Amino acid sequence: MNNGLSVLIVEDDPHVQLGCVQAMQLADVPVDAVDTAEAAMQRIEAGFAGVVVTDMRLPGSDGLSLVRHCRELDAGLPVIMITGHGDVSLAVEAMRSGAYDFIPKPFSPETLTEVVGRAMEKRALTMEVATLRRMLDKRSGLEGRLMGRSPQIDRVRQLIMEVADSPVDVLIHGETGTGKEVVAQSLHEMSTRKNAPFVALNCGGMPDNLLDSELFGHEAGAFTGAQKRRVGKIEYANGGTLFLDELESMPMGMQIKLLRVLQDRRIERLGSNQSLPVDVRVVAATKDDLLQRASENAFRADLYYRLNVVSIELPPLRERREDIPLLMEHFMLLAASRYGRAQPTVTVEQMQRLMAHSWPGNVRELRNVAECLVLGIRKDVLGAGPAAIGEHADASASLSEMVEGFERSLIAAELSRHSGNIAHSAKALRVAKTTLNDKIKKYGL
């Protein structure tokens, strides 16, 4: 239960202190004890790997002072308050001051062990998330954005570094989910334009009649509903980078206007005759073969050649499978940090399935799988396992029903693994035996 953590008991009554220490020792939890808040404060520092259990009434500074001290030092450090009869108002004040929980006297060793166990689980998770965030902070720069050790992704990183600070426009080609916007952002961040706006627009994400106004802006009264002047994406990106995603879906008429902008670096808002100069770098992305589309008269060849001065090809994930373990670890770190969850372990069988998968959604699909694994949501690519919600779950079931079904399957699996031994199952699930007994009765196990 200790997860490498310890408990500090702060109690001036030698009999109560001894009882608390013995309860922890019986639960196989490393424990230390002091008899004053001042002595405890000398031992506690930010990142303290454990839990504090303190009496309310102590010689010198009281337990409430210790709670506040710990709160200021490390807001994630759980402090459990022991209160005497008639100290309910003080217990409420302690909870308001940041205490994790309180235990009224007299209490049994089992009660103390259960409360400490829950607090230690919380502390272990808090410390693990902090560690994950420190690890993520170290993954900076281009290698942190475009992760992988394969020759294919290494060539992409090299090309980005070579052209990032050049003034040329760039065309990025890659399947859905390969990270085209990540490349565009990297080009921007590594250029002298990084302090100016990075403006992204999905050309397939809006009707043709709105795309014109979205790109070029409009004057008041330019069309019905245009009540005031609006600055378009190109003008807003002045001095920075304009990222045009799904370029293949841009209407022909808009392609002509974009080509003129690329040639002249000037725009006109809708409803205006005034030509405005713009200093913008265009990075466009497509999943299609634009040259093939041009041969079919579905895309302007002159626009293709104008953008294709520098072309970056992003490899699909199935062509760089050696990067899957590193990417999976990175995305699990991100998800665990974001959702405040422990980072799960990928089994050998699961990794084999990941390596064998075709990845039609590429890196984006892998990221979704990593997030589902962290959240305990089943994904077919990972196969069945403890993280799955059950093979025959009713698709119309409510969230609470699905959670209960998941909990029941976990408990049943542990009971089976430990041949029905409740004590061993409770230890594996990190819950009190009484809690496990109640759930066994609830689920008819």
Side-chain angles (χ1 to χ4, degrees):
M1 149 172 137
N2 62 62
N3 294 317
L5 306 180
S6 63
V7 175
L8 177 62
I9 307 292
V10 189
E11 174 60 70
D12 63 321
D13 184 321
H15 299 293
V16 177
Q17 185 188 104
L18 179 61
C20 291
V21 169
Q22 289 178 338
M24 294 297 97
Q25 289 173 338
L26 287 171
D28 197 29
V29 176
V31 62
D32 198 3
V34 294
D35 52 15
T36 66
E38 288 79 6
M41 290 176 189
Q42 292 177 3
R43 300 191 182 207
I44 299 169
E45 55 187 23
F48 175 75
V51 171
V52 178
V53 179
T54 180
D55 196 358
M56 174 68 76
R57 302 187 183 277
L58 295 167
S61 298
D62 62 7
L64 199 54
S65 300
L66 181 58
V67 169
R68 289 170 178 155
H69 172 81
C70 291
R71 182 74 175 177
E72 292 174 4
L73 189 68
D74 186 339
L77 174 58
V79 181
I80 299 164
M81 183 71 71
I82 297 173
T83 62
H85 180 69
D87 284 344
V88 176
S89 61
L90 289 175
V92 171
E93 180 62 27
M95 296 295 285
R96 286 176 178 166
S97 297
Y100 171 77
D101 205 345
F102 71 94
I103 305 173
K105 293 178 181 177
F107 56 87
S108 66
E110 290 78 15
T111 299
L112 176 65
T113 302
E114 182 176 355
V115 176
V116 167
R118 284 190 281 107
M120 291 184 83
E121 286 181 14
K122 180 178 184 292
R123 184 58 171 167
L125 182 56
T126 300
M127 295 187 72
E128 182 169 353
V129 169
T131 301
L132 295 177
R133 286 175 178 158
R134 285 195 297 271
M135 292 172 68
L136 287 171
D137 288 342
K138 293 177 182 177
R139 291 183 176 178
S140 57
L142 188 55
E143 289 196 0
R145 283 176 174 268
L146 286 169
M147 301 199 70
R149 301 188 182 98
S150 63
Q152 297 95 320
I153 205 66
D154 192 50
R155 282 195 295 270
V156 171
R157 285 195 295 258
Q158 188 63 38
L159 185 54
I160 290 172
M161 288 188 286
E162 289 172 0
V163 305
D165 214 22
S166 69
V168 296
D169 299 320
V170 177
L171 180 64
I172 305 169
H173 180 264
E175 295 178 6
T176 298
T178 48
K180 296 186 287 292
E181 186 163 356
V182 173
V183 171
Q185 288 173 334
S186 299
L187 287 166
H188 177 75
E189 291 295 328
M190 295 179 67
S191 73
T192 53
R193 297 176 177 268
K194 63 182 178 182
N195 294 322
F198 173 86
V199 180
L201 178 67
N202 189 314
C203 300
M206 61 184 63
D208 296 356
N209 60 330
L210 291 181
L211 185 59
D212 200 336
S213 173
E214 193 71 20
L215 269 174
F216 296 94
H218 61 251
E219 297 289 345
F223 51 85
T224 304
Q227 297 178 354
K228 58 183 179 179
R229 173 185 288 176
R230 186 179 189 281
V231 172
K233 298 291 188 185
I234 299 175
E235 188 178 349
Y236 183 69
N238 192 37
T241 303
L242 175 67
F243 173 58
L244 299 175
D245 199 7
E246 296 189 26
L247 184 70
E248 70 279 359
S249 63
M250 180 175 280
M252 278 291 192
M254 196 62 59
Q255 291 179 33
I256 297 171
K257 295 185 72 171
L258 177 61
L259 180 61
R260 179 168 294 180
V261 171
L262 295 176
Q263 290 171 341
D264 303 338
R265 302 292 161 170
R266 303 186 71 87
I267 64 163
E268 290 181 10
R269 300 192 192 105
L270 295 181
S272 172
N273 293 321
Q274 183 182 5
S275 178
L276 302 172
V278 287
D279 171 24
V280 62
R281 181 191 205 177
V282 175
V283 178
T286 180
K287 61 180 181 293
D288 288 355
D289 183 338
L290 295 183
L291 198 56
Q292 175 65 30
R293 287 178 64 88
S295 69
E296 298 167 354
N297 296 318
F299 194 85
R300 290 189 64 91
D302 49 2
L303 178 58
Y304 167 75
Y305 288 116
R306 182 65 184 78
L307 280 170
N308 199 39
V309 178
V310 173
S311 179
I312 297 178
E313 290 284 335
L314 285 182
L317 188 56
R318 63 182 175 275
E319 292 180 7
R320 58 180 187 114
R321 293 181 187 273
E322 62 266 48
D323 291 337
I324 290 173
L326 180 62
L327 287 166
M328 187 68 178
E329 180 203 19
H330 178 70
F331 291 142
M332 286 195 301
L333 277 172
L334 284 172
S337 176
R338 181 184 304 115
Y339 301 121
R341 299 289 188 93
Q343 184 185 351
T345 300
V346 179
T347 66
V348 174
E349 181 186 355
Q350 286 174 331
M351 185 54 70
Q352 289 172 343
R353 293 175 69 95
L354 292 173
M355 296 296 284
H357 188 56
S358 60
W359 298 110
N362 291 291
V363 177
R364 184 182 297 146
E365 182 185 358
L366 179 64
R367 181 170 187 157
N368 290 340
V369 170
E371 291 197 349
C372 287
L373 186 60
V374 169
L375 292 170
I377 300 171
R378 178 181 172 180
K379 280 300 238 185
D380 289 340
V381 66
L382 291 170
I389 293 178
E391 295 283 345
H392 309 291
D394 182 2
S396 64
S398 68
L399 176 62
S400 60
E401 289 170 336
M402 287 191 286
V403 169
E404 286 181 356
F406 179 36
E407 187 177 62
R408 187 185 189 281
S409 66
L410 278 180
I411 294 171
E414 285 301 328
L415 286 171
S416 175
R417 195 160 68 91
H418 295 286
S419 304
N421 188 303
I422 293 176
H424 291 170
S425 299
K427 186 175 182 180
L429 292 166
R430 292 189 289 181
V431 298
K433 286 189 290 184
T434 52
T435 302
L436 183 57
N437 261 319
D438 290 341
K439 291 187 181 295
I440 288 172
K441 291 175 184 175
K442 175 182 176 180
Y443 296 127
L445 296 171

